[in-house]
Amino acid sequence: MSIVADSVVAAGRLDAASHAHPSGAHPHTADPLADARTQLAEAAGILGLPDGLHRMLATPRRELTVAVPLRLDSGETRLFTGHRVQHNFSRGPAKGGLRYSPNVSLDEVRALAMWMTWKCALLDVPYGGAKGGVAIDPRAHSTAELERLTRRYTSEILPIIGPERDIPAPDIGTDEQTMAWMMDTYSVNSGYTVPGIVTGKPIALGGSLGRASATSRGVTHVALAALAHVGLRPERSTAAVQGFGKVGADAARFLAEAGVAVEAVSDLYGAVHRAGGLDLEALSAHVRETGTVVGFPGADPIDGQALLGLDVDLLVPAAVEGVLHAGTAEAVRARVVVEGANGPTTADGDRILAERGVLVVPDILANAGGVIVSYFEWVQANQAYWWRADEVESRLEERMLNAWSHVLGYAEARGLSLRTAATALAVERVAEAHRLRGLYP
Ligand code: GLU
């Protein structure tokens, strides 16, 4: 096992803007780690955090980079790079998803791990934050290849994960089958079945009812609360959703069920638009058949980028990081942005949206439904006792709406953006846990 040397603050710079990053590592974002550090620096300023503690919170506690050799179906061997970053453990075991995407980089995983720490703290879920990633395009591989890759990656990170250490979950490019393979690999190596090692598992293996749709339900709860806050009723509101995957597709459906006219959605290949609202059931059937929203006969094709600038009340970026940046934020006409994805708005994008009076509900609040129900799943697995779907859903809604009110109250009392308020609240909780535990030795 090789723990990568901690270089995050080796340069002694806490100033996110000055953090150098090889650009172009991710086509959608300049630098998610710089954005995450800018947000932390702002929260640290508000809280008056001592420099040493700020520095600690800017730095992952543990990072593991592994080479993942994969035997292809053809017999050839290919080598991939994987990471697992554990940002913080002050409030409990590390927790966070595993991403398969060709653009995964260590800095991206560091940013995502930091956001998990804040998300868990903000929602008062007793975890720290982590994230994993393998730089691979899962669509270019067979199921058998993905199984071998997942098992080898899991074996490589085995020494640092566990139900009391670090609990992976699905993210972009991974799903409940990936979690089943991880659980099996971990369990075989342990000599007994350990359902608490991952969340987002199939129900048949101890997954939780309501986990698959949890992020989307949570997005919808806060989206409706945010629309109400700006004086908009769902049945008189319109929305555009970027991303029609695990988060976006169900969020569109739940918003439509609440009365919102979802006029546009997009995926990797393009976007479709229909004034007055899309027929989402027909669209989902089209996606099941063709694998994309493109070519849906019940709507007009539009440019994926144009979706961000549509004249709608609500914009839900539910795809990847860095899509609302200096070049796109100016075009946003929505009144409310609810971040289904992690890190969809860059620091520049945030500033522009604030200047234009757009209410941005930040990722660590908006998309926390997933990790909330992951927590419920872990509790259920550890107790070997399963809850009904309505119990899961009502507890999810209660946590989301409590957090929304809490963040809104904190923001309004101090004149902060929702993002800064949410980050400050979260950082304060992590800092308090750290202070109470003290520094060892
Ligand atoms: N990948 C999801 C997220 O970014 C879920 C993480 C989890 O459930 O651990 O929040």
Side-chain angles (χ1 to χ4, degrees), residues 241-245 265-271 287 291-294 304:
V241 178
Q242 184 195 43
F244 205 65
V265 300
S266 66
D267 62 19
L268 221 64
Y269 310 101
V287 171
T292 170
V293 301
V294 174

Side-chain angles (χ1 to χ4, degrees), residues 84 95-99 112 116 119-120 127 130-131 167-172 199-200 211 215 340 342 367-375:
R84 186 75 189 170
K95 181 85 186 85
L98 167 63
R99 173 173 294 198
L112 291 161
M116 284 309 302
K119 197 184 299 187
C120 293
Y127 295 134
K131 203 80 176 196
I167 306 125
D171 197 79
I172 292 172
T199 60
R211 173 62 185 87
T215 310
N342 291 310
N367 71 32
V371 78
I372 291 173
V373 178
S374 275
Y375 164 51

